[in-house]
Amino acid sequence: MRISKFGNKFTQHSGITQLMDDLNDGLRNPDTVMLGGGNPATIPEMQKHFEQIAKTLLDDGRLITSMSNYDGPQGKNEFIDALASLFKTHFGWEISSKNIMLTNGSQSAFFYLFNLFAGEYADGSTKKILLPLAPEYIGYGDAGISPDMFISYKPDISPLTDGQFKYHIDFDAITVDDSIGAICASRPTNPTGNVLTDEEICNLDQLAQAHQIPLIIDNAYGVPFPNIIFEDVKPFWNSNTILCSSLSKLGLPGLRCGIIIAEEKIITALSNLNGIISLSPGSLGPAVGLELVKSGQILSLSETVIKPFYREKAQLSLTLLRKSITDTRFKIHKPEGAMFLWLWFEGLPITTKELYQRLKKKGLLIVPGEYFFFGLEEQWKHSEECIRMNYVQDEETMRKGIAILADEVNKAYLE
Ligand code: PLP
């Protein structure tokens, strides 16, 4: 088959595709302990509410109406209006419906945004997306049409008590010049659970404004929904910010509903992109989302059900890990949000890719850290010493998985 450069880039069976296949196989095999993927937890109380909404939409005909009609390329107007008023009321942001559009999941929003601001420009110059803190979300890595679309920077590492640590942006190392088209960071961060501080966000905003490039903030786990954020930080948006949210981590990833908040010009450009690529975003996510927004449940359930659910799970896993792996070279990134623990096995004699293979043989799936350091200009040993572990499974599964992990790590440290 002869295919284009685009075809070559997007049809490769890359290392990460292999990993995703493994995770998928793991999901199908009931004996595998699956601490690798990014699927949100099935929270019974949330499921009850989703069931009720689905029933209401079916009973009053809106489900069928949504299924039988295309929305416009910007997305369902009623949902966009409701979101605009929610963000305006909740945070006082100066936004209207013209500042919001929907995509089929926020993953496709990143594809649009990265290729809008990076790659080849009309004057022949090329630009990249600057990721101020690696490790960063694996899902960005292959989303550029041009090669080498990202530049990322190692963080400063602050040691904390209890064998924890926290990454900070190393602003002294970051260079923004004409080769940068936009800055992007996830907050909370997948894979580490880090939450960039208010000061870090303000600094990034100033840097972006000074160079007249946008600051993209990935809010997939952030406020006000799904609110899987355990730190007291301020939500951030201004007209130079592109904020990407999603209904996925509320427990609705199958609805594929992403939300972009940005200045009008950008929303118009992205709506046009939506029209060309998908005609319009799917209608079911916005129908369910509208119910959640109208009833106020999107905020109350995020605060009273989702946040405490994940916080308790994080604490339990932290305690189990501490008890099972007592080597002082083992450290955990402070869990500040999202649904992952980021484990650092300093000085581990094997790479975490090798550890991944050994754990897979024992029936445990995690994600080796190396995949999250794309865009770094030099090799960094630290990237081979970390893993990402999802902590959303039930207690018994977590205990089983952590026991397998502890066994293999303790053995590896003796090699
Ligand atoms: N951003 C981050 C940080 C994520 O972890 C994910 C999914 O795991 C996404 C974006 C994409 O989510 P979705 O396309 O389901 O909105």
Side-chain angles (χ1 to χ4, degrees):
M1 177 171 75
R2 293 185 66 203
I3 54 174
S4 65
K5 266 196 198 167
F6 172 95
N8 272 323
K9 181 162 194 315
F10 286 93
T11 55
Q12 276 173 34
H13 195 77
S14 61
I16 187 60
T17 320
Q18 175 63 51
L19 190 78
M20 291 306 168
D21 284 347
D22 280 356
L23 298 181
N24 198 30
D25 290 346
L27 270 181
R28 283 194 301 247
N29 180 352
D31 294 328
T32 303
V33 180
M34 177 62 182
L35 306 186
N39 211 70
T42 305
I43 306 176
E45 190 168 347
M46 295 302 292
Q47 299 277 309
K48 255 191 349 220
H49 287 282
F50 299 152
E51 237 177 83
Q52 187 53 52
I53 291 173
K55 199 167 170 312
T56 307
L57 293 178
L58 180 65
D59 290 349
D60 67 17
R62 277 179 294 162
L63 184 77
I64 303 300
T65 309
S66 295
M67 283 164 56
S68 333
N69 291 286
Y70 287 118
D71 291 325
Q74 191 185 346
K76 194 182 282 298
N77 296 109
E78 295 94 313
F79 185 44
I80 289 174
D81 294 345
L83 283 170
S85 102
L86 179 128
F87 284 115
K88 208 171 165 152
T89 321
H90 207 66
F91 298 136
W93 293 343
E94 265 318 304
I95 61 169
S96 76
S97 305
K98 293 186 177 153
N99 298 107
I100 299 182
M101 57 122 15
L102 309 178
T103 52
N104 289 319
S106 64
Q107 185 67 23
S108 42
F110 293 106
F111 183 81
Y112 292 177
L113 288 167
F114 295 157
N115 291 299
L116 191 62
F117 293 109
E120 199 174 328
Y121 274 58
D123 63 4
S125 65
T126 54
K127 295 191 195 293
K128 293 190 180 199
I129 301 292
L130 187 151
L131 308 173
L133 194 164
E136 193 38 286
Y137 172 46
I138 205 165
Y140 303 154
D142 290 312
I145 290 177
S146 312
D148 299 328
M149 198 115 120
F150 298 96
I151 176 154
S152 66
Y153 290 87
K154 288 191 226 170
D156 280 334
I157 304 178
S158 314
L160 304 174
T161 52
D162 290 343
Q164 292 187 25
F165 68 100
K166 177 171 166 63
Y167 290 139
H168 290 284
I169 297 175
D170 180 1
F171 280 98
D172 291 338
I174 290 179
T175 312
V176 182
D177 56 22
D178 285 351
S179 68
I180 302 300
I183 300 175
C184 174
S186 58
R187 188 196 202 214
T189 304
N190 172 359
T192 56
N194 188 31
V195 174
L196 295 178
T197 62
D198 292 334
E199 196 187 340
E200 284 173 314
I201 289 287
C202 268
N203 288 344
L204 287 179
D205 174 49
Q206 280 167 14
L207 208 54
Q209 298 221 29
H211 292 86
Q212 297 178 323
I213 53 173
L215 170 63
I216 304 169
I217 301 179
D218 181 347
N219 197 33
Y221 301 89
V223 279
F225 56 84
N227 206 357
I228 312 176
I229 184 161
F230 317 135
E231 294 296 295
D232 191 16
V233 291
K234 290 197 205 79
F236 186 90
W237 185 81
N238 61 30
S239 60
N240 194 53
T241 312
I242 303 174
L243 188 67
C244 300
S245 290
S246 168
L247 297 187
S248 293
K249 310 300 174 181
L250 283 167
L252 298 167
L255 287 178
R256 310 305 304 127
C257 185
I259 299 155
I260 306 181
I261 306 172
E263 70 163 323
E264 222 178 297
K265 269 198 317 237
I266 293 178
I267 294 301
T268 307
L270 293 171
S271 301
N272 291 339
L273 250 166
N274 238 359
I276 292 170
I277 292 178
S278 30
L279 295 186
S280 72
S283 310
L284 288 182
V288 174
L290 181 60
E291 283 303 289
L292 284 165
V293 173
K294 274 197 327 204
S295 64
Q297 285 179 331
I298 200 158
L299 302 182
S300 58
L301 292 173
S302 294
E303 181 63 28
T304 60
V305 179
I306 296 179
K307 187 208 286 263
F309 176 90
Y310 284 104
R311 188 164 39 203
E312 276 166 36
K313 292 250 173 217
Q315 281 312 318
L316 173 72
S317 298
L318 209 71
T319 310
L320 291 174
L321 281 161
R322 277 271 150 255
K323 275 201 198 136
S324 317
I325 310 175
T326 50
D327 195 299
T328 51
R329 290 168 292 181
F330 164 51
K331 302 180 182 73
I332 305 178
H333 192 286
K334 185 179 179 205
E336 299 181 313
M339 48 184 65
F340 311 100
L341 288 179
W342 181 248
L343 313 182
W344 177 18
F345 304 106
E346 197 174 7
L348 196 72
I350 58 168
T351 65
T352 44
K353 262 193 185 157
E354 169 62 21
L355 179 66
Y356 164 75
Q357 292 297 348
R358 294 185 189 182
L359 294 171
K360 193 170 117 182
K361 280 195 196 124
K362 296 279 165 68
L364 168 65
L365 289 178
I366 48 85
V367 183
E370 284 146 82
Y371 294 109
F372 301 92
F373 290 86
F374 53 93
L376 276 185
E377 283 187 324
E378 56 190 86
Q379 278 289 100
W380 188 25
K381 175 105 179 45
H382 180 75
S383 70
E384 299 178 344
E385 296 180 334
C386 299
I387 64 168
R388 188 191 80 176
M389 194 187 93
N390 183 317
Y391 57 70
V392 305
Q393 305 285 356
D394 60 64
E395 184 170 340
E396 197 192 324
T397 311
M398 292 309 304
R399 282 182 187 276
K400 193 170 154 199
I402 289 171
I404 299 172
L405 175 69
D407 194 40
E408 283 303 322
V409 166
N410 290 334
K411 265 198 256 167
Y413 264 133
L414 296 175
E415 284 175 20

